Amino acid sequence: QVLMVESGGGLVQTGGSLRLSCAASASIVSINTMGWYRQAPGKQRALVAAVTSSGSTNYADSVKGRFTISRDNAENTVTLQMNSLKPEDTAVYYCHADSGPYYSGSDYFDGMDYWGKGTLVTVSS
């Protein structure tokens, strides 16, 4: 079962824009933070941007001023608008969500992390 669906990756020239979208399954409840990570060839996976359920955001220094993350809590979606793209932005981008722990009635549900399969962003020079 696919729980995290990503879209929007592709090939773009330097200075161009892309919008990445991620939809988490409605079966994932009580999501705390949603965000995007990326992994470039030969590099560790690193945070690009994240947003909490209350709207607080966090960006990697390398993307501040160029990328904007937004979230629709009701739809369990997160969007990353990427502008002024550079070749160094080339990477596989992964959507991430963490949920819980939470209580439902008398039942306790442990926290979990969810990852998309990744979408490739390539920025040509």
Side-chain angles (χ1 to χ4, degrees), residues 10-81:
L11 174 65
V12 67
Q13 293 183 334
T14 297
S17 298
L18 286 173
R19 180 184 295 163
L20 304 183
S21 296
C22 175
S25 171
S27 67
I28 303 175
V29 300
S30 191
I31 294 177
N32 302 311
T33 302
M34 297 189 74
W36 289 91
Y37 292 71
R38 68 186 180 188
Q39 187 166 22
K43 302 291 186 179
Q44 300 259 28
R45 186 176 299 187
L47 175 71
V48 178
V51 56
T52 69
S53 59
S54 63
S56 297
T57 58
N58 186 33
Y59 295 92
D61 288 341
S62 60
V63 307
K64 288 179 180 177
R66 299 188 297 120
F67 292 9
T68 302
I69 192 166
S70 59
R71 175 176 176 176
D72 187 332
N73 293 338
E75 299 294 332
N76 270 14
T77 59
V78 63
T79 299
L80 185 68
Q81 179 65 47

Side-chain angles (χ1 to χ4, degrees), residues 6-14 16-21 36 80 82 85-87 89-93 118-124:
E6 302 155 321
S7 63
L11 174 65
V12 67
Q13 293 183 334
T14 297
S17 298
L18 286 173
R19 180 184 295 163
L20 304 183
S21 296
W36 289 91
L80 185 68
M82 306 185 294
L85 283 162
K86 306 173 181 179
D89 294 318
T90 296
V92 177
Y93 285 69
T119 184
L120 178 63
V121 171
T122 302
V123 184
S124 65

